[in-house]
């Protein structure tokens, strides 16, 4: 495509410099540039990458003094001006390096200058007729052969160049000669590496046809659709119980965005785990609007990644469905952003830049002046608080589609089970009875336990020794299949000992249960049942997840055992029982969100049951049957739980009432780490405003990870900016120590 010639321009270097630089454009490159193009520029003595920000120089310097642009790496707009503004905001808000944010935003193959895969074709020129073949035959028989072949193609169809060169064995020079004589034409088209089409499809989660929305869905869809049509920024929280048909509401909004000629971003917490939704969603959008949608996730090859980005940046595709980094897609005329399961911790990136996909989504919507929809069955406290403060508009779906009943939840007090069954109990009698019923009725069950491995710890009853990781301060988990003890933080493993390594006692005990043990015990009790386990350990084999889900759907599996990773989004009509083997795991996390997480887990897990026409049941095993999240989840009392939890947060002024910044210091020498953390805290106390509360330094909940000792500080602040600026400045001036690292995590999700 030829663009207007550009003689000078402004470029934002991707090195983290906070301003634009001016350049001249060599004549050969003048027609290849747009705002957003990725270019190579000389900066001092080096060549750097940059993004074109304006198609003329700032005028601060005479043109004759400007340096020349070195090359154009990607002519299409890699970053729009809003995305550059967003990068600046992210760097500031998350105290990150601007260059690192740019690096995050531009996928590696785009940065590396990969080009679209193109394919060339030859076809006979439409207006070349007559006896040129005969003439050629004498002087250039190979040319004549090719010309005759191309003319003989039905409808003068094009033939791939590769076929001509390789299969017919015709020299490139002969082809060129024919092209120069005007007898044949060469055509080149983009040829995307389309690997993501059907691979992800595979379920009836999103039906191919439009469903007739029920009244609640219609009301929610109308509100959003009207907003998308009108344009301008607004944000909605779509709070719909599990199985209330939120996907249909999103689809209505997406179709509207496409109908007005715009683009859209649809974020899901984890693409690999929800292939069902995604494949169908994409198919449906493409069928109905004829607009291409691309899927974006971490399993794409470099080539696929490049093509997806290229398609979005050039406007050839207008919708991206993907995991959190899809929020950076260079979509033009963005009209809608949807964040499904907005409460999911997976939206937070746990390495720098530590951004939150949902929060960045809302920010981008304000910048692009478009509609943002956050959806969940269990919205986060942050989003609910934003509704309370009138920042988001609340839309409710209170019923499941077709008025299917929400599952009945039984809470089992495991203290009593332990007394009556005498000793360690994996399954309560109630849960066993319910599983037995399902097996008889040929219905399916899912058992959840958020802990991998076989047993959780090794204990010596004689000397009290517990097997702990050599490098981290957590206990090792027994993996029976490989007979090893493994650390779930750093991966360290060792052969499981026969005797206590300390006192040589042979009486070693194994405590606690992981998914492997659940599978084993269930199989022993129900020898005929077909039981399959899904967790990160079982998932090491490629494609296994998909094939297991397919088998489960076909009814080839009776009981699916898994960690929380299978709790999301699964929609299997024949599942009528869900067992939560140990609800206390999340309840005891050293995290102020422990109750919120437990409540969310219970509601999401329960949502997997009774999606067909038979009602579902849920059995929750706990030693704390009266805990608020359990009781409220049992009664489906969302408001009750939220009111209590909000009250607690308000009282302790935890998020969302104040922002939290988590600052971790780590290093190999614990005394030194502590000393530095204390020095730093002393400095802060002198410098920062009274409105910011500092807590710590204290050892982090996990004191040692991978041989690094960790100390933490918490800052509670009414707002992130401008405090974060001051924090970043002080940090820059604070003396650096070689073997001491620190990390600042703004609005942290993981406090361990
Ligand atoms: P949620 O995301 O709210 O848990 P889903 O969007 O997954 O719910 O919808 C649950 C099921 O209900 C899906 O199988 C979907 O096809 C079906 N469904 C949604 N809306 C309707 C409707 N209006 N009529 C009939 N079935 C519907
Ligand atoms: Zn011992
Ligand atoms: Zn470890």
């Amino acid at each position: 495509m030829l663009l207007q010639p550009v003689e000078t321009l402004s470029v934002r270097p991707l090195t983290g410099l906070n301003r634009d630089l001016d350049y001249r454009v060599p004549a050969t490159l003048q027609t290849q540039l747009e705002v957003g193009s990725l270019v190579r520029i000389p900066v001092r003595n080096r060549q750097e990458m940059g993004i074109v920000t304006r198609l003329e120089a700032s005028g601060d310097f005479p043109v004759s003094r400007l340096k020349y642009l070195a090359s154009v790496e990607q002519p299409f707009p890699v970053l729009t001006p809003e995305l550059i503004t967003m990068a600046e905001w992210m760097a500031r808000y998350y105290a990150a390096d601007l260059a690192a944010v740019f690096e995050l935003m531009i996928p590696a193959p785009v940065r590396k200058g990969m080009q679209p895969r193109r394919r060339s074709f030859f076809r006979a020129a439409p207006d070349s007729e007559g006896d040129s073949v005969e003439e050629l035959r004498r002087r250039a028989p190979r040319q004549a052969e090719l010309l005759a072949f191309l003319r003989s193609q039905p409808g003068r169809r094009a033939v791939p160049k590769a076929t001509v060169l390789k299969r017919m064995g015709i020299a490139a020079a002969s082809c060129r000669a024919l092209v120069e004589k005007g007898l044949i034409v060469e055509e080149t088209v983009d040829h995307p590496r389309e690997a993501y089409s059907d691979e992800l499809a595979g379920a009836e989660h999103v039906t191919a046809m439009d469903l007739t929305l029920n009244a609640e869905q219609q009301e929610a869809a109308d509100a959003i659709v009207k907003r998308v049509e009108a344009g301008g920024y607004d944000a909605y929280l779509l709070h719909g119980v599990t199985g209330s048909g939120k996907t249909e509401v999103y689809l209505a909004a997406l179709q509207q965005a496409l109908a007005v000629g715009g683009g859209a971003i649809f974020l899901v917490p984890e693409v690999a785990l929800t292939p069902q939704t995604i494949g169908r969603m994409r198919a449906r959008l493409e069928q109905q609007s004829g607009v291409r949608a691309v899927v974006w996730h971490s399993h794409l090859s470099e080539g696929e990644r490049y093509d997806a980005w290229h398609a979005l940046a050039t406007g050839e595709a207008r919708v991206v469905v993907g995991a959190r980094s899809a929020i950076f897609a260079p979509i033009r005329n963005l009209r809608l952003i949807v964040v499904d399961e907005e409460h999911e911790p997976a939206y937070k990136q746990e390495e720098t830049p530590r951004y939150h996909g949902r929060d960045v989504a809302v920010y981008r919507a304000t910048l692009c002046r478009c509609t943002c929809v956050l959806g969940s069955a269990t919205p986060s406290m942050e989003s609910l608080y934003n509704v309370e403060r009138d920042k988001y508009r609340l839309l409710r779906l209170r019923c499941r589609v077709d008025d299917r009943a929400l599952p009945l939840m039984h809470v089992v007090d495991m203290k009593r089970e332990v007394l009556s069954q005498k000793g360690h109990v994996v399954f309560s009698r109630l849960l066993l009875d319910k599983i037995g019923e399902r097996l008889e009725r040929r219905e399916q069950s899912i058992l959840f336990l958020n802990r991998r491995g076989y047993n959780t710890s090794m204990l010596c009853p004689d000397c009290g020794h517990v097997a702990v990781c050599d490098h981290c301060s957590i206990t090792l988990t027994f993996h029976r299949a490989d007979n090893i003890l493994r650390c779930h933080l750093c991966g360290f493993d060792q052969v499981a000992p026969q005797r206590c390594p300390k006192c040589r006692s042979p009486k070693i005990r194994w405590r606690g249960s992981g998914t492997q043990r659940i599978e084993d015990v269930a199989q022993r009790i129900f020898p005929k049942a077909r039981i399959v386990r899904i967790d990160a350990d079982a998932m090491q084999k490629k494609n296994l997840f998909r094939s297991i889900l397919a088998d489960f759907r076909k009814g080839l599996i009776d009981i699916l055992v898994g960690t929380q990773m299978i709790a999301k989004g699964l929609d299997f009509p024949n599942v009528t029982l869900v067992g939560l083997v140990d609800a206390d795991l999340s309840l005891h996390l050293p995290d102020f969100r422990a109750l919120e997480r437990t409540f969310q887990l219970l509601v999401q897990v329960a949502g997997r049951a009774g999606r067909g026409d038979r009602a579902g049941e849920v059995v929750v095993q706990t030693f704390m049957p009266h805990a608020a999240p359990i009781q409220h989840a049992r009664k489906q009392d969302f408001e009750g739980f939220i009111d209590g939890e909000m009250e607690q947060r308000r009282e302790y002024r935890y998020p969302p009432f104040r922002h939290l910044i988590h600052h971790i210091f780590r290093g190999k020498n614990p005394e030194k780490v502590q000393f530095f953390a204390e020095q730093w805290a002393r400095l802060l106390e002198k410098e920062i405003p009274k409105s910011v509360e500092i807590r710590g330094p204290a050892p982090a909940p996990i004191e040692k990870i991978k041989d690094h000792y960790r100390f933490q500080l918490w800052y509670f602040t009414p707002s992130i900016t401008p405090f974060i600026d001051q924090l970043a400045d002080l940090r820059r001036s604070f003396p650096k120590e070689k073997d001491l690292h620190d990390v600042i995590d703004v609005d942290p999700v993981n406090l361990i």
Side-chain angles (χ1 to χ4, degrees), residues 468-476 486-493 704-707:
V468 177
C469 176
D470 285 1
H471 311 281
C472 313
S473 54
I474 64 164
T475 54
L476 295 169
R486 177 179 293 141
C487 170
H488 284 179
L489 274 181
C490 75
F492 166 84
D493 57 28
K704 187 173 78 166
I705 297 182
K706 294 185 192 169
D707 293 318

Side-chain angles (χ1 to χ4, degrees), residues 460-465 500-505:
C460 170
D462 287 345
C463 74
H465 174 74
C500 170
K502 257 225 175 114
C503 73
R504 311 303 302 158
S505 160

Side-chain angles (χ1 to χ4, degrees), residues 204-205 207 211-214 217 240-248 401-402 404 571 611:
E204 45 278 17
H205 188 65
T207 354
L211 296 163
T212 314
L213 299 185
N214 64 31
Q217 284 174 313
V241 297
T242 54
S244 59
K246 292 185 284 295
T247 314
E248 293 299 319
V401 291
D402 294 344
R404 279 173 218 156
D571 187 6
R611 288 197 157 227

